[in-house]
Amino acid sequence: MASKELALRHDEPNLARLNLVLAPNRTELYEWARHIAFDAIGGVSVRCTAPRNALVPHGVDNDILLGLVNAVVLQGMPEDDTVRLTTRELLQLSGITPSARAYRNLQASLRRLQHTAYDVTDSWYDGSRHRWRSVSFSLIVRLGAEDNTADVTNAGQWRAQTLLAIRLDDSLISNIRAGHILPLDFEMLARLSQPLTRNLFRTLSFQRDQVGQEPVLAFAVPLNTWATHLGMHEMRLDTVMRSLKPAHEELIAIGFLREVEYRGRGRARTVHYTFASAKSAAVDPEAIAVLARYGVSGGRALTLAQAYGSEAVQRAVSVLEALLQTDYRSKIRNRAGMLSDILESPEKYDTLLRAAEKTTDEARVAKSAPAADKSEQADPDTATVPRKARSAHVILLGQYDDTAERRDLRDRATALYVEGHVSSLDLIGLLHQETAVAQAQIEMWEQNARK
C-alpha cells in the first residue's frame, strides 16, 4: 500500500460525535447517562450500562474501536459484518505498540465493547437512510478468538498470532458501508501520547469536518457540558481544566489546534477552540462509486478516493477507458488493479497510452490497405479497435453532456478524435475544464486540423 494511503484512517461520525467510550484512562463507573446539547446539530441522549461487576468502556477502548472501524474499511466492508485479523494487526491499526501487556489489555477492551449495552435516543444518524434514529446495541455483537499454534501451555492467553473474528453492530457497519465516514489524520493521531488526548482529537475533528459540511475555524462549548460529554463525571471544573491542559498543549504542539481559550466564570465558563487549519479531506461519494463500478473493493475504493481525490480518480478512469480503445486492451486482465496502479503512477500510464495509441493507429492504417485480408480481423483479441464517437464520450465521462453549448464542444472534440487529429490524452485534458477554456482548446485543434 502506498505511503500516502497509510497516513489515512477513517472515523465513523456517530462514534466521533456521541463519544460512547469515556475519555479518562480510569473509571469506576458501571453505567452512565448523558442528555446534553453541545453543538449545532442538536441534542445527544445516550445511556450506557455494563454487566454486573464490570466497568463501562473507557480510555484505550476508544483506540481499539477506531482500529476496528478501519479494519472494516480496509477489508472492504465484509458481507457478514465480521472482520478477521490477528491481535497484532488490530493493535497496529489502533496505533498501539504490540506487547504482552497490550494483548491482555486488548482482551479486556474487546470484552467491555462486547458486553456493554447502549441506548441511543434520536441521536444516531443513519447514513444509508439519511435520518436520525433511536438504537439499542452493543458495539461488538460476537467475538471469536483462535490460536493457530499447537502451544496450549497458556490456554486463553492471547498473543501476536491469535486470530480474531469480530462482528460489529449492523447499525455501525451499514453506516460505514454507505460511506458515512470521516477522514482522520492517522500520522497526527499517532503522535498523541494519551487516550484522553486522542479522544479529544477525534471529537474535535468531527466538529471541524462534519460530513457534507464546510470545515469550521472554531468551536465553542460550555465547559461543564464538555466535561460531561468527555466522561469526566462529577469533576470540579477546575479539575477538568487541569486534566485537559496537557491534552490541549499536545494538540497545539502537533499543529491541530492554534489556540484554546476559556471565557466566563463558574458554571457559565466556556472553552473556545481555534483550529490551526480548516483543511478538509472529505471523501467524494461519486469518486467511490466510480471506483466501485470498475470492481475496486469498498475499502480500497474509500482509501483511493481519500488519498487522490475526485479529479484524479476520474482522470484515471479516462486513461483506463482510453487504453481499452487500443490494442493494449487484450493485456488488461484486472481493471480494478490497473485503475489503482494508474492512480499511483499516472506518468507511467500516460507514456503507455501514447505508445499504445500510436501502435493502434499504425495498425489501423495498415489494415485499411486494399490488400488487407479480412479473415485477419476475425479474432476480437487481435482486431484493431476503430476510433468511435462513443469511445470519445466514454473518455470524457459525460462531463460535456449538461448543456447545449457543452454538448456542441463535445461533438466537435469527438469528431477531431475520430478523424485522428487529437489523441486520447488530448481528450482527457478537457476533463474539469471550464467552458471557455475548453472552447479555446478545441478551436486551436480545429485550426491545426485544417492546415
Side-chain angles (χ1 to χ4, degrees):
M1 187 177 293
S3 60
K4 187 175 182 182
E5 296 170 40
L6 289 173
L8 295 166
R9 290 292 185 270
H10 299 89
D11 208 348
E12 198 282 327
N14 285 294
L15 300 182
R17 178 173 182 258
L18 297 177
N19 208 20
L20 299 178
V21 177
L22 301 185
N25 293 337
R26 294 181 178 85
T27 186
E28 296 181 357
L29 296 176
Y30 59 89
E31 66 177 354
W32 54 262
R34 187 186 304 153
H35 308 283
I36 57 174
F38 70 98
D39 60 17
I41 296 177
V44 166
S45 181
V46 181
R47 178 173 293 278
C48 171
T49 308
R52 176 178 286 188
N53 300 322
L55 299 175
V56 296
H58 60 280
V60 74
D61 299 352
N62 228 334
D63 299 318
I64 301 301
L65 184 55
L66 180 62
L68 289 171
V69 168
N70 284 282
V72 173
V73 173
L74 293 172
Q75 293 186 12
M77 283 79 84
E79 291 185 3
D80 61 356
D81 298 347
T82 302
V83 292
R84 294 171 175 82
L85 71 177
T86 65
T87 54
R88 182 180 182 84
E89 290 169 337
L90 179 52
L91 287 175
Q92 290 174 330
L93 278 178
S94 305
I96 299 172
T97 302
S99 67
R101 181 180 178 182
Y103 295 131
R104 290 194 300 271
N105 291 339
L106 173 62
Q107 196 167 11
S109 289
L110 291 176
R111 284 174 176 165
R112 282 193 291 270
L113 294 172
Q114 179 184 14
H115 297 297
T116 298
Y118 291 94
D119 294 292
V120 181
T121 305
D122 295 331
S123 309
W124 182 272
Y125 188 76
D126 187 332
S128 60
R129 299 182 181 181
H130 307 290
R131 66 185 185 189
W132 295 96
R133 294 176 53 201
S134 295
V135 292
S136 297
F137 59 83
S138 293
L139 289 163
I140 293 178
V141 176
R142 186 166 60 238
L143 169 63
E146 177 185 353
D147 206 326
N148 56 8
T149 71
D151 180 11
V152 292
T153 56
N154 295 298
Q157 179 179 313
W158 288 3
R159 51 197 128 190
Q161 67 270 31
T162 300
L163 183 63
L164 304 176
I166 303 170
R167 181 176 181 180
L168 297 173
D169 175 73
D170 59 359
S171 297
L172 176 59
I173 290 283
S174 64
N175 268 358
I176 300 173
R177 189 172 283 121
H180 186 62
I181 57 174
L182 280 175
L184 200 62
D185 189 326
F186 187 71
E187 287 185 347
M188 189 173 283
L189 182 68
R191 292 165 59 190
L192 303 176
S193 61
Q194 294 296 321
L196 170 60
T197 314
R198 294 192 289 271
N199 182 295
L200 196 59
F201 174 79
R202 290 175 61 192
T203 305
L204 288 172
S205 292
F206 171 82
Q207 294 300 329
R208 185 188 68 173
D209 298 309
Q210 296 178 26
V211 176
Q213 304 293 325
E214 290 296 317
V216 301
L217 296 172
F219 171 68
V221 60
L223 182 58
N224 61 340
T225 302
W226 196 229
T228 300
H229 184 62
L230 294 175
M232 298 178 173
H233 295 269
E234 308 301 327
M235 280 190 184
R236 290 165 48 94
L237 291 187
D238 56 346
T239 305
V240 171
M241 292 171 63
R242 283 196 299 271
S243 299
L244 289 177
K245 184 178 179 181
H248 290 162
E249 291 174 346
E250 203 168 1
L251 291 174
I252 291 172
I254 66 170
F256 177 70
L257 292 177
R258 190 178 73 193
E259 183 182 27
V260 179
E261 182 183 5
Y262 292 101
R263 300 177 187 174
R265 310 186 105 195
R267 296 190 63 81
R269 180 170 287 166
T270 60
V271 55
H272 291 250
Y273 294 104
T274 303
F275 298 108
S277 171
K279 182 179 179 181
S280 177
V283 182
D284 184 348
E286 182 180 349
I288 297 172
V290 167
L291 290 166
R293 283 200 295 271
Y294 284 82
V296 181
S297 69
R300 180 69 169 158
L302 285 167
T303 303
L304 291 173
Q306 177 60 51
Y308 297 99
S310 177
E311 290 191 9
V313 167
Q314 292 178 347
R315 188 184 189 280
V317 168
S318 289
V319 170
L320 175 60
E321 285 292 349
L323 283 169
L324 291 170
Q325 310 310 316
T326 71
D327 290 343
Y328 190 83
R329 74 193 185 284
S330 62
K331 300 179 182 180
I332 301 175
R333 303 300 183 189
N334 182 351
R335 297 187 183 189
M338 175 166 280
L339 194 52
S340 299
D341 202 36
I342 294 171
L343 279 166
E344 293 167 358
S345 306
E347 297 84 2
K348 178 180 77 174
Y349 282 91
D350 285 356
T351 302
L352 177 61
L353 177 56
R354 289 191 189 95
E357 195 160 44
K358 180 180 178 182
T359 301
T360 301
D361 286 344
E362 289 173 350
R364 185 180 296 116
V365 171
K367 285 179 178 287
S368 65
D373 185 353
K374 292 183 180 181
S375 65
E376 294 179 20
Q377 301 181 23
D379 185 353
D381 285 337
T382 59
T384 298
V385 180
R387 287 193 172 188
K388 298 179 181 178
R390 184 176 61 82
S391 302
H393 293 179
V394 170
I395 293 170
L396 289 173
L397 298 174
Q399 290 193 10
Y400 287 79
D401 295 354
D402 49 347
T403 67
E405 181 182 12
R406 288 176 68 83
R407 285 193 295 273
D408 176 65
L409 293 178
R410 176 203 65 192
D411 293 342
R412 287 160 61 187
T414 297
L416 290 165
Y417 169 78
V418 171
E419 294 165 6
H421 298 300
V422 299
S423 68
S424 296
L425 283 175
D426 291 328
L427 288 183
I428 292 169
L430 293 177
L431 297 177
H432 309 290
Q433 294 288 2
E434 295 182 358
T435 301
V437 175
Q439 182 170 350
Q441 179 64 67
I442 293 169
E443 286 176 353
M444 185 182 72
W445 290 339
E446 289 172 335
Q447 291 174 4
N448 291 336
R450 288 193 290 267
K451 291 180 181 178

